[in-house]
Amino acid sequence: MRIPIQSVTPESGHAEVCGWVHEVRDLGGLAFFLIRDRTGIIQVTLPKKRTSEAVLTAAKQVSRESVVRVAGMVKAIDKAPGGRELVPDVFEIISMADSPLPLDVVEKVPADLDTRLDARFLDARRPRVAAVFQIRSAAMHVINQYLHHEGFINITTPKIVAAATEGGTDLFPIAYFNKEAFLNQSPQLYKQMMMAAGFEKVYEIGPIFRAEEHNTTKHLNEATSIDIEVSYADHHEVMRILEELIVKTYEYVNTTCSDQLSSLEISDFVVPKPPFPRLPYCEAIEIAKKRIEDPIEYGDDISPAAERALGSEMGGHYFIVNWPSEIRPYYAMPYENDPSICKAFDLMHPRMELSSGAQRVHQHDLLVQQIRKKGLNPESFEFYLRPFRFGMPPHAGWGLGADRLVMTMVGLANVREAVLFPRDMHRLVP
RNA sequence: GCCCAGGUAGUGUAGUGGCCCAUCAUGUUUGCCUGUCACGCAAACGACUCGGAUUCGAAUUCCGACCUGGGCGCCA
């Protein structure tokens, strides 16, 4: 019976493992094979004089990264990695790997990201790459667990939609029988409909699609968004949920992924401390004005240079709050005492924006007014506006970029490294 | 979409007009080697993105195409 490599100890006696041939060191009368599975690496040692002909033939024939089944006695040896080695009486080639390999799994020679993504299945065999996705999995697990625990209902909303009701970003048109259709840019409107449906707290973790032709290390055309919406909550309440979720995610990764963090050579993993500073937009602009050369004025978006300047000033996660209504979407709730600013916020990591959200406008007539103010036609928003006419509770929510969360958490240079099969302007395969 | 930088063995690189039938590492193959752990040693194999131009001569200069990386714009 095959057992995980990590569980092989000197006490195992006779053990059978399956995995990839990681490295071969043939010293002549003695040969070492490193066999790797997802749990670790074990040294298989062949003293040639005392090894069967069948084992020697297979060992001679096998190529790097072939899948093999090896069984034999486990011996305690200080000189071997992990303090044990396996002396095989069985060495079976299950699946021979072609040569040459598209990239070097052992990492003696680096590979460009492009090369790595072209051969992602091989790239992901590298422990440090696998570690990123194990951490991502842990993060998604604890986020689901936290939201479930907080009473959120997990929903799934359509990714094929009829029209671009939100404006702003470009959508991908798709062929949908004989109708016009698009890939959805966000579950925003559907989350809000579920507030009208009385679900009170909903969340969705799913793909979002943006057809922007950007070419940066932090944008993708297909991303994973963690979205929540909460009835009877204001922006303060959902910011609190967001910061608690971020902290819990870091804590969980910190306590359950120590092997993965050390694979990534992260020795200074810092769990952020709540509460995160709430920086009013107007103060953010003042800081940016002092710190960057490019002109920036109240009413402008926060440019990447301004983001970086603020990031180094703030030093950790922080919120930008009280945005001018003018530069936020129509569904962001304006302050009653000063409608020029609204109850919208962004959650920032020092490197980039992670999340944005707001208390939403829940009053039908105010929403129509806001849509008009943005120069949009309320008539084309009928499917969105309808729920607001039949009893819509006040509500607030946010969307958090899962890929950026992972990227910033483990310090990846490029968001593509946090995604198994990233989709950008140039990459559609694999 | 705009701007900048690139494209050389399977992989990662050196090479700015002749010194290049192209450097180094890794890999692969063969030989030697009984404690390696990036094993070592020896030998061999393997590449200038494509098309056009300039030149006695182009990996190197110019033009075009394609591809890649990055920045900006855009990103409710």
Side-chain angles (χ1 to χ4, degrees):
Chain A
M1 237 253 310
R2 179 215 170 198
I3 59 170
I5 284 173
Q6 196 174 40
S7 69
V8 177
T9 66
E11 291 76 42
S12 299
H14 195 271
E16 175 183 326
V17 298
C18 290
W20 289 272
V21 175
H22 188 69
E23 261 187 280
V24 180
R25 299 192 194 104
D26 186 347
L27 272 60
L30 187 68
F32 301 102
F33 286 75
L34 298 184
I35 308 299
R36 184 194 70 243
D37 71 8
R38 138 184 154 169
T39 68
I41 290 178
I42 189 166
Q43 176 167 290
V44 171
T45 303
L46 278 74
K48 291 190 184 166
K49 283 181 187 162
R50 282 171 284 131
T51 301
S52 75
E53 205 54 45
V55 169
L56 286 178
T57 308
K60 173 92 178 153
Q61 213 187 354
V62 78
S63 59
R64 286 163 75 238
E65 295 304 318
S66 292
V67 177
V68 294
R69 184 172 71 92
V70 182
M73 288 305 292
V74 182
K75 290 183 181 166
I77 300 272
D78 286 345
K79 286 177 277 192
R84 86 294 196 223
E85 68 183 15
L86 196 147
V87 182
D89 45 59
V90 176
F91 195 116
E92 182 196 341
I93 301 172
I94 295 173
S95 176
M96 188 77 165
D98 273 0
S99 182
L101 298 163
L103 58 81
D104 176 21
V105 176
V106 179
E107 289 188 295
K108 286 180 188 173
V109 179
D112 287 342
L113 185 57
D114 189 51
T115 307
R116 292 172 47 203
L117 293 175
D118 280 341
R120 194 56 145 163
F121 64 94
L122 260 189
D123 182 51
R125 287 187 196 176
R126 295 154 62 195
R128 62 181 301 131
V129 175
V132 171
F133 294 100
Q134 287 160 5
I135 289 172
R136 182 174 168 129
S137 171
M140 290 304 127
H141 170 73
V142 73
I143 288 167
N144 274 289
Q145 193 179 54
Y146 170 77
L147 292 171
H148 188 77
H149 178 77
E150 292 293 307
F152 281 79
I153 296 172
N154 183 207
I155 61 167
T156 303
T157 63
K159 304 307 152 203
I160 301 173
V161 298
T165 48
E166 292 182 63
T169 191
D170 293 326
L171 301 189
F172 288 107
I174 59 166
Y176 193 72
F177 306 109
N178 52 358
K179 290 182 159 61
E180 183 181 54
F182 302 90
L183 293 177
N184 207 181
Q185 68 185 93
S186 111
Q188 177 67 24
L189 307 186
Y190 290 98
K191 289 190 297 178
Q192 291 193 262
M193 267 194 267
M194 296 319 291
M195 297 300 97
F199 278 33
E200 291 204 14
K201 293 178 169 186
V202 299
Y203 81 99
E204 174 166 19
I205 300 176
I208 57 170
F209 304 92
R210 310 269 162 113
E212 307 296 334
E213 295 185 336
H214 28 221
N215 194 209
T216 76
T217 54
K218 57 186 181 188
H219 288 94
L220 291 170
N221 296 293
E222 180 182 34
T224 301
S225 179
I226 302 160
D227 264 274
I228 76 159
E229 204 68 32
V230 186
S231 287
Y232 307 107
D234 62 8
H235 53 307
H236 299 298
E237 170 60 9
V238 292
M239 278 193 275
R240 186 197 62 76
I241 293 170
L242 179 52
E243 86 192 345
E244 189 167 63
L245 177 133
I246 297 285
V247 170
K248 292 230 184 273
T249 303
Y250 272 75
E251 275 172 356
Y252 186 75
V253 167
N254 194 222
T255 54
T256 64
C257 299
S258 50
D259 289 350
Q260 287 80 3
L261 290 170
S262 60
S263 290
L264 288 163
E265 289 162 11
I266 297 171
S267 53
D268 57 342
F269 190 78
V270 179
V271 178
K273 287 193 179 46
F276 302 159
R278 269 68 168 169
L279 180 69
Y281 168 89
C282 58
E283 285 181 32
I285 291 292
E286 289 310 311
I287 292 168
K289 264 187 192 167
K290 281 181 210 145
R291 295 287 216 97
I292 63 171
E293 294 193 4
D294 305 326
I296 184 162
E297 288 298 327
Y298 187 93
D300 290 343
D301 274 320
I302 309 282
S303 66
E307 269 182 13
R308 286 190 292 271
L310 287 166
S312 68
E313 178 87 15
M314 303 302 289
H317 291 82
Y318 64 101
F319 287 102
I320 301 177
V321 299
N322 300 347
W323 288 72
S325 302
E326 206 179 299
I327 56 171
R328 298 301 283 211
Y330 55 84
Y331 52 71
M333 179 72 92
Y335 278 96
E336 296 79 6
N337 55 355
D338 181 3
S340 76
I341 57 172
C342 64
K343 299 179 180 179
F345 58 87
D346 278 0
L347 173 67
M348 308 296 294
H349 177 275
R351 290 174 66 192
M352 71 192 76
E353 177 189 331
L354 294 182
S355 169
S356 65
Q359 183 180 333
R360 326 294 191 187
V361 174
H362 63 280
Q363 306 93 326
H364 177 273
D365 294 352
L366 178 57
L367 197 51
V368 170
Q369 222 180 83
Q370 294 260 120
I371 289 169
R372 285 220 179 88
K373 242 186 240 172
K374 295 282 175 192
L376 301 165
N377 180 5
E379 274 166 35
S380 57
F381 286 70
E382 188 43 35
F383 113 94
Y384 174 57
L385 285 168
R386 196 169 174 227
F388 290 81
R389 293 195 280 123
F390 299 96
M392 175 65 93
H395 58 278
W398 43 254
L400 167 66
D403 316 301
R404 287 185 179 187
L405 176 65
V406 174
M407 174 194 186
T408 53
M409 185 157 54
V410 299
L412 302 172
N414 192 314
V415 72
R416 291 163 182 79
E417 293 188 72
V419 178
L420 281 171
F421 301 102
R423 288 291 174 264
D424 62 34
M425 254 175 96
H426 305 295
R427 181 171 287 279
L428 194 54
V429 173

